Amino acid sequence: MDVPQFDLTAQYATLRDEILAALDRVCRNASFVLGDEVAQFEREFAAYCEAKHCIAVNSGTSAVHLSLLALGVGPGDEVITTPNTFIATAEAISYTGARPVFVDIDPATANIDPRRIEPALTSRTKAIVPVHLYGRPADLDPILALAARQKIPLVEDACQAHGARYRGRRVGSLGAVAAFSFYPSKNLGAYGEGGALTTHDDAVAERARALRVHGERRRYFHDQIGFNYRMDGFQGAVLRIKLRHLDAWTARRRELVRRYRERLAGARVTLPHDDARDEAADYLFVAYVDDRDAVRAALAARGVGTAVHYPLPVHLQQAYAGLGHARGSFPHSERACDRVLSMPLFPEMTTEQAEYAADVLAEIAGAR
Ligand SMILES: Cc1ncc(COP(=O)(O)O)c(C=O)c1O
């Protein structure tokens, strides 16, 4: 049996007529940049996230960047985040002129360890950016309590977690601002680049809207230097259609993950711990294994595609050598990156494919 790690083509087959009609509507209205479809998507996605505002932009990276700028983060500031993430989280911090300050993960969850944040705070700390890695909510209550005590805003990097719930509440509604990515492979993926911020705060929303379009509040009057971070009309149209399917796709992802977990119960693999009070959006299903690259090759030989998210934590990337970290700086993140393996997961995958992939992994890893 062949099981790709990821496949978007099957989904398009089910949406094709609707999508082509929506793209045609955008062409007929010539609303290629922002426009009606994007405005409607903003309303629908804000409601979905249980947030007051949504500002659609051209990528998740731009969404994190504008979130921080709208909160006033700038040169000389420090922003706390996890090194166990896609580099964009840290890059967006760097774009503002602030310095990313890494805090290691809780090895049980792979998300930022709330207990390690307080010792990393300084008088320059201007924001905390937890990442809901693999669609699984970070443990936000202790971080929110600390943030409120210290009056430091929290930006959720929800780029992988559309629709996840933390203690019953949607991610994207929990901090001062949240950032989402609609990169095509995401649970809610555009047909190109896309992203959005969500917030309850009117002033933050207003600043982000202006920064998205050249710092403009009135046409051709620019109060500050902004960006061209506008979302395409096509992406708004596609995302509106896909948003209607998101909950069903997420439920399917969760069911497939349940099967994986059942089949891997006795195997010599470690799975991230999910709190039973939360609902993960299961962007990826990862397992931690010894000798990961050999396990990957053995899975590939049996037709099971895998990926690695991510092979190197951000603090060890060449791009961040200037921060002066070395192996050993954040040992839990380093160990996670050495051992992590992303198994096949997408809503159109069959139950048989998931069971086969799980059984092959269990066989290769051996029994506990
Ligand atoms: C955790 C995280 N943050 C930020 C981003 C950046 O999003 P984008 O690729 O849309 O710029 C991504 C996307 O890959 C991500 O996974």
Side-chain angles (χ1 to χ4, degrees):
M1 190 185 291
D2 264 344
V3 192
Q5 196 270 329
F6 182 67
D7 177 17
L8 265 177
T9 56
Q11 188 186 80
Y12 181 58
T14 68
L15 301 174
R16 186 169 181 272
D17 293 346
E18 248 186 309
I19 298 257
L20 291 181
L23 297 183
D24 184 49
R25 210 162 51 232
V26 172
C27 292
R28 279 186 283 118
N29 295 335
S31 50
F32 297 110
V33 177
L34 296 177
D36 205 41
E37 296 285 340
V38 172
Q40 297 212 51
F41 171 69
E42 289 180 329
R43 281 193 285 280
E44 290 159 8
F45 194 63
Y48 181 81
C49 293
E50 300 167 3
K52 187 167 174 194
H53 303 282
C54 168
I55 297 100
V57 294
N58 62 347
S59 75
T61 309
S62 303
V64 183
H65 183 199
L66 286 197
S67 298
L68 295 167
L69 289 179
L71 292 170
V73 174
D77 294 338
E78 294 178 357
V79 176
I80 290 186
T81 193
T82 161
N84 190 28
T85 181
F86 180 56
I87 193 167
T89 314
E91 284 178 318
I93 296 168
S94 301
Y95 296 165
T96 68
R99 195 167 74 93
V101 173
F102 298 116
V103 164
D104 210 355
I105 56 169
D106 176 343
T109 66
N111 279 321
I112 195 166
D113 185 342
R115 292 163 303 185
R116 294 175 196 271
I117 295 177
E118 191 153 13
L121 296 178
T122 74
S123 58
R124 290 186 295 277
T125 310
K126 289 290 155 31
I128 304 172
V129 187
V131 177
H132 304 303
L133 195 68
Y134 313 140
R136 303 157 40 262
D139 187 9
L140 287 195
D141 277 344
I143 308 177
L144 285 165
L146 175 68
R149 239 182 7 256
Q150 303 285 344
K151 301 196 172 27
I152 298 170
L154 193 146
V155 176
E156 295 175 78
D157 182 336
C159 284
Q160 303 187 357
H162 322 70
R165 287 185 188 276
Y166 175 75
R167 313 291 195 262
R169 288 168 295 156
R170 285 265 199 225
V171 309
S173 68
L174 300 160
V177 202
F180 291 88
S181 164
F182 305 123
Y183 186 77
S185 64
K186 296 293 197 279
N187 291 11
L188 181 61
Y191 282 4
E193 304 275 359
L197 295 67
T198 53
T199 182
H200 298 300
D201 187 320
D202 297 343
V204 165
E206 198 273 333
R207 283 197 289 274
R209 273 188 201 285
L211 285 167
R212 168 178 72 173
V213 14
H214 304 288
E216 177 180 283
R217 288 182 168 83
R218 205 155 44 102
R219 193 75 174 129
Y220 299 131
F221 289 86
H222 308 273
D223 309 331
Q224 67 203 109
I225 296 173
F227 302 86
N228 178 359
Y229 279 178
R230 294 172 296 214
M231 176 180 274
D232 286 346
F234 284 143
Q235 306 314 337
V238 167
L239 289 166
R240 290 187 68 204
I241 293 166
K242 293 182 75 171
L243 182 58
R244 292 180 215 130
H245 298 272
L246 181 59
D247 282 343
W249 290 333
T250 304
R252 177 68 184 150
R253 285 175 183 275
R254 289 171 57 80
E255 169 60 17
L256 291 164
V257 166
R258 198 182 60 75
R259 301 269 169 157
Y260 265 119
R261 285 184 176 270
E262 242 169 50
R263 304 288 264 225
L264 290 170
R268 198 142 37 81
V269 301
T270 307
L271 304 180
H273 172 74
D274 286 346
D275 193 298
R277 292 169 291 181
D278 300 339
E279 279 176 46
D282 290 315
Y283 169 53
L284 295 169
F285 174 71
V286 306
Y288 296 96
V289 294
D290 294 330
D291 212 355
R292 189 256 326 279
D293 295 340
V295 171
R296 273 196 90 183
L299 282 162
R302 304 275 298 272
V304 178
T306 57
V308 175
H309 300 88
Y310 298 92
L312 195 65
V314 181
H315 69 281
L316 296 181
Q317 298 285 351
Q318 183 61 34
Y320 279 109
L323 292 178
H325 298 300
R327 209 158 250 284
S329 296
F330 304 102
H332 296 305
S333 297
E334 291 160 22
R335 182 170 155 79
C337 290
D338 288 343
R339 302 179 75 236
V340 73
L341 182 65
S342 300
M343 294 295 288
L345 186 67
F346 49 98
E348 296 74 20
M349 190 174 149
T350 65
T351 302
E352 292 68 34
Q353 284 178 309
E355 289 176 350
Y356 173 76
D359 291 348
V360 173
L361 175 60
E363 199 186 308
I364 292 166
R368 256 198 255 264

